Amino acid sequence: MNLARALVAIALTVSGFEVASGYATAESVDPRTAPPSTPDASLIDRSPAAPELIDDTHDPQTDFNNAIGVAANQVGLAATAGSIAGTVIGAAIGCPIGALTAGFTALPTGPIAVPAAALGCVAGAGIGVGLGAAIGTAVVAGPVGIASAVQAYNTLHAAGDIAAPVQPD
């Protein structure tokens, strides 16, 4: 604990010396006399031999990561929605099918038909949930995945990260 206090005290002391020795602070700069933050375009040589200005603010890797991140979020949300919808629909369809199948199978045995139908409902719902989740995910996330890939391509193309096709001469 004492080491942390000592480090904080040293940092405050050093920063105090920097401010006292003439470093600019927000209060010491007059915005009317401050130099412009961007260079004057009239000072740039416009001759054909002048080097082309490089835009350091554009990062294609960041654009790519952002486009893929958006697509991944969209597909993930669609997969989740499809899985939930498929689970509910699968359970709703699987339970009655399982109950009818197990109930009809146990019908000749007499009194065991009702518990067999209840267990059949549970089994049918379990199978329906698994199949419904898989089918729902594929049905919903598949088209969203394709649309997200197209959107990511269009985004990267608009940013200039993917070149237009070369036209034959």
Side-chain angles (χ1 to χ4, degrees):
M1 200 63 178
N2 289 335
L3 179 62
R5 288 183 184 165
L7 290 175
V8 170
I10 291 170
L12 290 174
T13 304
V14 170
S15 65
F17 283 129
E18 289 174 0
V19 171
S21 64
Y23 285 101
T25 63
E27 292 82 20
S28 67
V29 176
D30 185 8
R32 294 172 297 215
T33 61
S37 60
T38 57
D40 185 10
S42 64
L43 301 176
I44 299 173
D45 184 11
R46 298 287 184 197
S47 67
E52 204 172 304
L53 295 177
I54 297 173
D55 182 15
D56 288 337
T57 60
H58 182 219
D59 183 17
Q61 185 65 45
T62 301
D63 291 344
F64 178 77
N65 290 342
N66 289 340
I68 294 299
V70 168
N73 283 338
Q74 292 170 345
V75 172
L77 290 171
T80 302
S83 176
I84 291 171
T87 298
V88 170
I89 293 170
I93 292 173
C95 178
I97 290 175
L100 288 175
T101 306
F104 283 139
T105 305
L107 193 61
T109 61
I112 195 135
V114 175
L119 291 175
C121 175
V122 172
I127 293 170
V129 163
L131 291 175
I135 292 170
T137 299
V139 166
V140 176
V144 171
I146 293 169
S148 295
V150 169
Q151 180 186 8
Y153 174 82
N154 289 338
T155 300
L156 293 171
H157 184 68
D161 296 329
I162 298 176
V166 176
Q167 300 295 329
D169 290 331

